Amino acid sequence: MSDHVHEPSALGGPMLGDGVSTDMVIELRYRPLGDVLLAEVPLLADATPGSVEVLDGDVDLRWIEVDGVELLAALRVVHARERWRDPAFPLRSLVPLDDLVARADRLAGDSLAARARALVTVQHRASRAALARDVILPRRCPPVGSSMDLVRALLLVAEAVEAAARLSLGHDPVRTIRLVAAVREAAAVLRQSQGRPAPGASVGALRLVAGGVPLSVSERIALRRLLDQTLDVALWPRVAGDLVDLAGRIAPWVAMSPLSVE
Amino acid sequence: MTRPTRPTRPVTGPTADGDVDRPPTLEEIEGYAAAVRRAVVRSFSGRPPLGGFSADDVAQEVVLRFLEAPVRVMRAYREPWVFARVSATSRLVDLGRRDRVQRGEGVRLVDTSSGTRPRRVAVWLDAPTARSGDAHDDLRLTEPQSSVEDVVLDRLAVDDLLASLSDADRRLVEYVDLLQFSVTEVAQMEGLRRETVSRRLAALRRSLVDAVGQVAP
């Protein structure tokens, strides 16, 4: 079984700025394990380093200026499937992710090693106009916030869930470790996302708040709501406070002193 | 090169139910591998390509490295992104070495009182002096004058020791040196005195520097 699909381009090579051939080839690479999409427009990406714009904790875009117009040269998206579910996601119309995911599903291997190696590469074609920054991101990026308190609160919640699991007999350990890991990952991503939200990581964690974890129904509802609200930077200060309160309800002893230094 | 001896203290397992002996399930291993890949790709966020190494190249090598000994890695690194950071930097070192060999360059050597040795600097646990807003700055990935290899050689040297820390100490290290909270912030977060956290970190750093010393040729 092949763990690598490559669709060679049947397209002619576009000429940069020739004013005649306006389509450009985008090389797409999708890794199903990790749900990571990387793309590059070779004609642009090899030109100059350009400028990198971090859209949020999941997405960054590299732009190259050609004739006074910023064009998309490369992109990286983590939690791609999650992002493509959002109708307003700016790259949705540019990259046919559903096609990549369908190809990846056909590659699903029997072994973890095969799934880890699985890679779908496709050469896609887009008009030069579709690569313009003004088309992809007609609005400027939303304002950034200070994620410090939010990160701290998420770590505290992860600690509280873990602590609650130690005292709970009826929970599912696999679901619990996945939730704890996802919340920690969201915290780590938010810490490093330069004050921008991390929708993929946050929603990824949100989806794991389900039965089997050592939380009551009301605690699960509250955690889902708060993780959803991490997508809005303006809500971060209040969400951080609410998460700390929630951690206190889940495991009061952790919220009081989560780190015991000898 | 002699690596520090792995301590005998049992390390915390990756399970959420406190059962350190339960081996992780295949689903847990796959989830960890996926998180490792995401973390490596994220470590390239906001940066142009590094010397021809794409994020995918490095991420794939790190994932495959994890799959060589998943249980051991998961027991040593509770957080996938911590393993991803350490391992990604290590892979960059390997790729950098390969690149230098292909260019006909040799290893970088410096003269020391104990003779000529590979150039290394002990910066692994240096706390950031100013908030940069980017927790990956300590990887020095984009600074042409700094050497990822130098930094990472010491990281690898303390790798085992880091895995041997107690949960509390390891979290302290993670908060300050990986998430780049300041000592004051961590003290506030945990309801401890700043001096207590600072003193504990200093002790940890001393032990890690000692570990680096043991690796000297």
Side-chain angles (χ1 to χ4, degrees):
Chain A
M1 187 203 76
S2 168
D3 58 6
H4 180 187
V5 168
H6 177 72
E7 295 290 329
S9 172
L11 312 170
M15 297 303 293
L16 190 62
D18 63 1
V20 178
S21 177
T22 57
D23 278 3
M24 289 189 167
V25 172
I26 308 174
E27 289 185 356
L28 305 170
R29 294 169 67 85
Y30 177 69
R31 293 278 190 184
L33 182 76
D35 194 18
V36 172
L37 171 72
L38 300 109
E40 196 174 85
V41 181
L43 203 60
L44 297 173
D46 296 340
T48 64
S51 61
V52 179
E53 180 174 11
V54 179
L55 198 60
D56 54 45
D58 301 323
V59 183
D60 66 74
L61 310 166
R62 187 150 67 92
W63 305 101
I64 303 286
E65 188 170 323
V66 179
D67 299 335
V69 178
E70 280 188 304
L71 298 177
L72 182 67
L75 62 89
R76 285 191 284 261
V77 183
V78 178
H79 287 296
R81 274 182 287 193
E82 203 61 66
R83 302 310 301 272
W84 257 255
R85 287 193 181 109
D86 177 4
F89 185 59
L91 298 170
R92 205 163 181 265
S93 58
L94 182 66
V95 177
L97 187 76
D98 289 346
D99 179 45
L100 298 177
V101 171
R103 291 170 192 266
D105 288 344
R106 288 198 291 273
L107 284 180
D110 296 332
S111 70
L112 174 56
R115 289 194 291 277
R117 285 195 304 269
L119 167 67
V120 177
T121 61
V122 170
Q123 290 194 334
H124 180 60
R125 192 168 202 173
S127 71
R128 179 177 158 165
L131 297 175
R133 191 188 186 289
D134 289 345
V135 173
I136 295 172
L137 293 176
R139 289 174 298 178
R140 307 306 297 183
C141 287
V144 298
S146 171
S147 62
M148 184 71 68
D149 289 342
L150 183 62
V151 171
R152 167 194 169 191
L154 285 168
L155 291 171
L156 203 55
V157 167
E159 296 289 339
V161 173
E162 227 174 9
R166 293 194 191 100
L167 297 183
S168 164
L169 297 176
H171 70 283
D172 180 335
V174 173
R175 290 186 180 190
T176 304
I177 191 67
R178 288 180 65 198
L179 172 62
V180 169
V183 172
R184 287 179 173 278
E185 182 178 350
V189 175
L190 284 165
R191 182 69 192 93
Q192 297 157 12
S193 64
Q194 301 175 17
R196 295 185 175 86
S202 294
V203 176
L206 185 154
R207 291 186 191 284
L208 295 173
V209 184
V213 299
L215 299 175
S216 68
V217 173
S218 64
E219 287 165 348
R220 291 205 302 265
I221 291 171
L223 183 54
R224 288 178 66 94
R225 174 176 54 80
L226 292 170
L227 284 169
D228 185 51
Q229 290 177 346
T230 63
L231 306 186
D232 186 346
V233 174
L235 296 178
W236 281 5
R238 186 176 59 73
V239 171
D242 289 351
L243 283 168
V244 172
D245 291 345
L246 178 61
R249 292 206 299 274
I250 296 170
W253 62 98
V254 168
M256 289 173 60
S257 181
L259 183 69
S260 57
V261 178
E262 297 151 15
Chain B
M1 175 180 287
T2 305
R3 300 291 301 275
T5 306
R6 175 173 284 279
T8 54
R9 193 187 70 77
V11 296
T12 305
T15 62
D17 52 4
D19 180 4
V20 296
D21 295 324
R22 179 176 72 79
T25 64
L26 189 62
E27 186 185 30
E28 286 176 284
I29 292 173
E30 186 160 353
Y32 193 102
V36 165
R37 188 193 299 285
R38 289 193 294 269
V40 175
V41 171
R42 281 195 172 104
S43 73
F44 280 73
S45 177
R47 303 178 188 283
L50 302 169
F53 306 136
S54 77
D56 186 54
D57 294 337
V58 178
Q60 181 64 2
E61 292 208 36
V62 171
V63 168
L64 294 180
R65 178 176 171 180
F66 161 67
L67 291 177
E68 288 172 5
V71 176
R72 178 177 175 272
V73 169
M74 292 174 75
R75 288 196 187 284
Y77 298 90
R78 184 176 62 160
E79 309 294 353
W81 53 270
V82 175
F83 169 74
R85 289 188 55 134
V86 173
S87 194
T89 320
S90 143
R91 299 311 297 166
L92 283 170
V93 170
D94 294 342
L95 293 166
R97 282 185 183 140
R98 188 188 309 165
D99 189 44
R100 286 207 304 277
V101 167
Q102 288 172 350
R103 289 199 310 264
E105 299 174 10
V107 65
R108 297 168 186 168
L109 301 174
V110 293
D111 290 326
T112 68
S113 57
S114 58
T116 302
R117 51 179 286 188
R119 187 164 71 108
R120 305 166 64 237
V121 287
V123 298
W124 160 239
L125 285 177
D126 284 352
T129 54
R131 182 163 309 288
S132 65
D134 185 342
H136 290 286
D137 278 356
D138 60 328
L139 287 178
R140 313 281 177 88
L141 295 177
T142 57
E143 296 177 26
Q145 300 306 315
S146 67
S147 164
V148 173
E149 295 92 326
D150 293 341
V151 175
V152 169
L153 283 175
D154 282 328
R155 286 189 172 197
L156 295 178
V158 299
D159 192 358
D160 285 343
L161 192 60
L162 189 64
S164 76
L165 297 179
S166 70
D167 284 352
D169 285 348
R170 191 166 53 207
R171 278 188 304 189
L172 202 62
V173 171
E174 288 173 3
Y175 283 8
V176 174
D177 293 307
L178 296 174
L179 285 173
Q180 296 202 337
F181 284 106
S182 71
V183 170
T184 304
E185 288 164 344
V186 172
Q188 287 173 349
M189 284 165 59
E190 310 306 336
L192 298 168
R193 292 172 58 231
R194 190 191 64 79
E195 292 78 5
T196 304
V197 175
S198 183
R199 197 163 44 239
R200 192 70 199 138
L201 267 177
L204 290 169
R205 288 175 181 143
R206 274 197 302 276
S207 63
L208 291 169
V209 167
D210 288 346
V212 172
Q214 292 173 25
V215 195

